[in-house]
Amino acid sequence: MDRAIAYYRVSTRAQALSGLGIEAQRAAVHRFAEAEGVTIVAEHVEAESGKGTDALLRRPQLRAALDAARHARCPVIVARLDRLSRDVAFIAGLMAQRVPFLVAELGLDADPFMLHLYAALAEKERRLIAERTKAALTARRARGTKLGNPTNAPAAAALGRDVQVCEADRFAANVLPVIRAIEATGIASLRGIAAALDARGIPSARGGRWQVSNVRNVLRRKVTAERLC
């Protein structure tokens, strides 16, 4: 493999016009390509939601990337799996296109089975987050907090922060016992712990590979992880 087609996606037209997200994806893909000796022969950029069963019909640039990769007999590279979709059925449909995909965040070792697994985990986590957010909103309403009101922006922002903190605490509480078990084997460095988590097939909070900063963030939450909401 010495060539590939790059595909970048943002969810809104405003993000596309501002360049928000696209440049970060391009940088991640080009770092990956340089490290693996891959030449990016074409790039396709899309501003479209990844939701819905008709997502592929609404994403002409993804179809174009698939066609180009099929013609060139090379893979499509994305920065993160969610730039394709967070829907496991959609990912399965893409796999049926007989075009290989590479995810810069996951590395060369992420085969189709692993992509299905990561997509399933991301879909489940997205559903759980939606359920917890709905429950948090219901609880706030029950306490008399007004939501969806421009004059109540501070309360809405506080709710968003609370939900994010809650999710981070839950994730840390689940991962910390694994980290402690890794430390018990004699691995003490953050880099070593990150490698051990990857080796065990445990995705980071964003569903990708572990970095030193990810491990550090989890360890820093060791107090708040005991305070689950």
Side-chain angles (χ1 to χ4, degrees):
M1 177 191 63
D2 57 357
R3 298 176 301 164
I5 307 295
Y7 174 76
Y8 316 119
R9 181 180 68 85
V10 291
S11 299
T12 68
R13 299 292 177 185
Q15 287 178 330
L17 292 173
S18 68
L20 180 63
I22 294 297
E23 289 309 316
Q25 292 175 53
R26 179 176 284 115
V29 165
H30 279 265
R31 282 196 303 269
F32 171 83
E34 183 178 358
E36 301 297 339
V38 176
T39 300
I40 304 298
V41 296
E43 296 182 328
H44 295 265
V45 180
E46 196 118 65
E48 181 59 69
S49 171
K51 296 180 180 179
T53 56
D54 63 339
L56 187 56
L57 296 176
R58 292 183 285 101
R59 293 163 66 177
Q61 290 304 311
L62 178 55
R63 297 200 306 273
L66 290 170
D67 290 341
R70 195 177 293 111
H71 179 74
R73 296 184 179 182
C74 69
V76 172
I77 298 183
V78 294
R80 290 169 42 183
L81 187 59
D82 63 7
R83 295 306 83 199
L84 291 174
S85 178
R86 293 186 177 91
D87 186 284
V88 66
F90 185 83
I91 296 295
L94 289 180
M95 297 298 107
Q97 298 286 328
R98 297 183 181 275
V99 173
F101 286 91
L102 295 175
V103 181
E105 187 178 54
L106 301 179
L108 286 176
D109 295 332
D111 58 21
F113 173 77
M114 289 180 64
L115 294 182
H116 278 89
L117 178 60
Y118 281 120
L121 291 171
E123 182 179 284
K124 180 178 180 180
E125 184 61 19
R126 183 188 66 210
R127 184 171 63 252
L128 291 174
I129 289 174
E131 291 172 355
R132 291 166 188 161
T133 301
K134 183 178 180 181
L137 290 170
T138 300
R140 286 295 182 97
R141 290 192 187 99
R143 292 198 294 269
T145 302
K146 294 181 180 180
L147 303 174
N149 185 337
T151 63
N152 197 36
L159 173 60
R161 289 192 296 272
D162 288 348
V163 171
Q164 290 178 346
V165 170
C166 179
E167 292 304 320
D169 284 347
R170 287 180 184 275
F171 181 79
N174 289 328
V175 176
L176 275 170
V178 181
I179 292 178
R180 297 309 180 203
I182 291 171
E183 290 176 328
T185 67
I187 299 174
S189 71
L190 297 178
R191 191 173 302 279
I193 292 171
L197 287 167
D198 286 335
R200 296 187 182 203
I202 299 171
S204 68
R206 291 184 177 274
R209 298 177 68 84
W210 285 83
Q211 306 296 329
V212 168
S213 58
N214 302 141
V215 178
R216 183 184 296 114
N217 290 340
V218 169
L219 292 175
R220 285 177 176 173
R221 304 196 73 85
K222 58 185 178 182
V223 175
T224 57
E226 299 171 357
R227 175 187 52 80
L228 296 181
C229 46

